[in-house]
Structures are given as C-alpha cells and as structure tokens.
Amino acid sequence: MKMDRDENCWLVNTGYCGKRAEACLEQGVITISIEFHLMDELADEIVNLKYMDTKGSSFGYLRDEYRKMDSKFRAELAEEFKNIGSLGEPPEKSQQQKMEILTSKLNWLREEARLLRKTMKEFDRFEKHERIKDIIRSGLCYIEEARLNKWSESIFCFANDVCIGDLVVMPLMENGFFAVGRVRGGYEYVENALDLRHVRNVIWIKEKAHIPQLVHLIDVSGGIVSISGELRTSITDLLDYHETLRT
C-alpha cells in the first residue's frame, strides 16, 4: 500500500537513552524528551487543551468579519448587475453575464471564508499555546523566554499538532538509524508508568531504518519537529519500498 503523500511527518526525539526508544518500540507508543518536574503536573491540562473553548473571545470578531464580507458581496454584485442593465444588451446575453459575475463573486466569497477559517484556526492554536506557557510560568520561579518557548511548543505540538494517521520518526541509539511509525491515538498520560508516562499510541511500520540525512535535526528539534520537502519524500519512498518488499 502506497504511503499517503498528504500526511504530516514528524521527528520525535525521545531522549538520549536508548532504553526509552526500545521501550517505545516494545509498547507501541511514542513519547517526547521533556525532562522537567512540571511535566506530570501538566498532564490534565494537556489532555484538556482540545476541549479548551476559544470561541468566546473570537465570536465577535467572526460575526463582524462575516457581516463585512456579506455587505461587500451584495454591494459589488448589485453594482455590476446595474452596469449590465445600463448597456442595453439583449436579455439572453445580460442573463449570461449576470451568471458569470455571480459565479465569480461566489468564488471570491468562498476564498475569503476559507482564509477567515484559516486565520481563526491559527488564533485557536495561539490561544492554546499561550495557555501552556502560562501553566509553565505559574509553576516555576523563573524561566528564560527561549526555553519557555521551546518547552511549550514541543508539548503543544506533541499533544495537538500531531494528528492520528501522521508519520513519526524516532531516533535510535545507533547513529543514523530511526524507527518509523504511524500515529493511531491521541495524547495520553499513563500515571503509573516509569519513563513512558506522556505517550501517543503508534503502529511501528519500520523498526530500524538508515536515514542519515535526518541526524542533523535531532539536536535542533529538542522534542519534536516537522519533516517536509525532500526529507519527507525520502521517508515515504523508503516506506513504499518496504511495503513493496513485504508484498
């Protein structure tokens, strides 16, 4: 089966201890390398992020923007129809021109609505990300902004940005080797576990693959980083080749 070329792909660093990566493979999960005492205290907040309501602060903005779009659509459509009527065109031709204008304006309206939805999605992510920052700040006497941004981004990305069906690539102890899997569950906190308390369930497709071109991303990622472009293509090509051998 060919890999889906539209799925997201993430490098997820589980830490420098090879035993943690081995445990992930054995238990069918993935975790992130965030080593600080607040992580366990954050568990409930992380789980509840997807239920956090940001609609209240954005409803008024959305309402006003939709009203502006609707008013602009109606005004421009009426003006263009008026211009057609003043030209004295035959009824059939006038009707055709009106349909073409209406189609064009509707396409514009759809695109404006799409861009607005995208903006509100980014707003929703920003609100939730800021919530994670506030939780971390409240539990520490001091934290430098760079570290706060890194921790909060990794936690938020692991819990919210990674979607079921996405590919995850996990560094192994042996340099240049990685495990590749597909996410099959949401964020979970396993209270009585040892190293693997903050996890996502994963189906491991390839437990050991040589992908040396990813090595430079490990230190950069800290916890998790999106893989795109040629790197992502090389991974999906590898999985396609692996599936071909199996069949």
Side-chain angles (χ1 to χ4, degrees), residues 1 9 22 56-57 59 62 69 75-77 90 98 123 127 150 155 168 174 179 181 187 191-193 213 215 224 230:
M1 179 181 68
C9 186
E22 290 176 3
S57 57
F59 177 77
L62 270 175
M69 287 163 52
E76 291 184 356
L77 190 64
K98 287 181 179 180
F123 174 81
E127 290 277 286
K150 185 175 182 180
I155 293 168
V168 288
E174 191 174 350
Y187 167 83
E191 188 171 359
N192 297 321
Q213 59 269 44
V215 172
I224 182 168
E230 293 182 2

Side-chain angles (χ1 to χ4, degrees), residues 36-84:
F36 65 107
H37 70 279
L38 277 178
M39 193 62 187
D40 290 344
E41 297 175 24
L42 282 170
D44 288 341
E45 297 281 358
I46 297 171
V47 170
N48 291 330
L49 273 179
K50 59 184 171 184
Y51 304 115
M52 176 181 167
D53 184 14
T54 61
K55 295 184 177 66
S57 57
S58 60
F59 177 77
Y61 173 80
L62 270 175
R63 179 192 58 204
D64 292 343
E65 288 301 305
Y66 275 121
R67 283 178 177 172
K68 290 177 186 176
M69 287 163 52
D70 181 66
S71 295
K72 184 177 180 180
F73 171 79
R74 292 174 183 273
E76 291 184 356
L77 190 64
E79 184 64 25
E80 298 225 27
F81 279 8
K82 179 180 177 181
N83 292 335
I84 289 175

Side-chain angles (χ1 to χ4, degrees), residues 174-236:
E174 191 174 350
N175 188 42
F177 284 87
F178 299 80
V180 185
R182 190 181 300 282
V183 178
R184 63 172 185 166
Y187 167 83
E188 294 181 45
Y189 174 66
V190 186
E191 188 171 359
N192 297 321
L194 294 176
D195 287 334
L196 305 181
R197 291 192 292 273
H198 307 271
V199 298
R200 303 282 301 258
N201 286 333
V202 170
I203 298 174
W204 293 109
I205 303 170
K206 183 76 171 173
E207 294 193 359
K208 189 175 183 180
H210 190 226
I211 319 175
Q213 59 269 44
L214 289 181
V215 172
H216 74 283
L217 288 179
I218 297 175
D219 291 333
V220 175
S221 70
I224 182 168
V225 66
S226 175
I227 302 174
S228 59
E230 293 182 2
L231 286 176
R232 179 182 174 282
T233 300
S234 66
I235 292 168
T236 52

Side-chain angles (χ1 to χ4, degrees), residues 36-187:
F36 65 107
H37 70 279
L38 277 178
M39 193 62 187
D40 290 344
E41 297 175 24
L42 282 170
D44 288 341
E45 297 281 358
I46 297 171
V47 170
N48 291 330
L49 273 179
K50 59 184 171 184
Y51 304 115
M52 176 181 167
D53 184 14
T54 61
K55 295 184 177 66
S57 57
S58 60
F59 177 77
Y61 173 80
L62 270 175
R63 179 192 58 204
D64 292 343
E65 288 301 305
Y66 275 121
R67 283 178 177 172
K68 290 177 186 176
M69 287 163 52
D70 181 66
S71 295
K72 184 177 180 180
F73 171 79
R74 292 174 183 273
E76 291 184 356
L77 190 64
E79 184 64 25
E80 298 225 27
F81 279 8
K82 179 180 177 181
N83 292 335
I84 289 175
S86 66
L87 296 176
E89 298 282 0
E92 296 80 6
K93 187 172 183 180
S94 295
Q95 188 67 21
Q96 181 181 354
Q97 289 176 337
K98 287 181 179 180
M99 289 301 297
E100 291 173 354
I101 290 171
L102 179 60
T103 301
S104 175
K105 293 298 180 185
L106 285 173
N107 288 336
W108 168 85
L109 191 61
R110 290 192 194 97
E111 178 63 14
E112 289 294 302
R114 184 190 69 80
L115 293 174
L116 183 58
R117 288 194 298 271
K118 181 180 178 181
T119 298
M120 298 316 298
K121 184 176 181 181
E122 291 171 355
F123 174 81
D124 179 73
R125 186 185 192 281
F126 173 80
E127 290 277 286
K128 292 178 178 179
H129 190 185
E130 288 300 303
R131 175 59 180 160
I132 285 289
K133 287 185 178 181
D134 289 341
I135 296 167
I136 296 174
R137 286 192 192 99
S138 67
L140 297 176
C141 296
Y142 169 78
I143 180 171
E144 62 182 8
E145 195 66 20
R147 180 168 293 183
L148 173 64
N149 288 333
K150 185 175 182 180
W151 282 356
S152 61
E153 180 65 24
S154 293
I155 293 168
F156 184 83
C157 187
F158 183 76
N160 287 266
D161 289 346
V162 176
C163 299
I164 294 174
D166 284 356
L167 293 175
V168 288
V169 183
M170 178 179 67
L172 302 176
M173 195 64 176
E174 191 174 350
N175 188 42
F177 284 87
F178 299 80
V180 185
R182 190 181 300 282
V183 178
R184 63 172 185 166
Y187 167 83

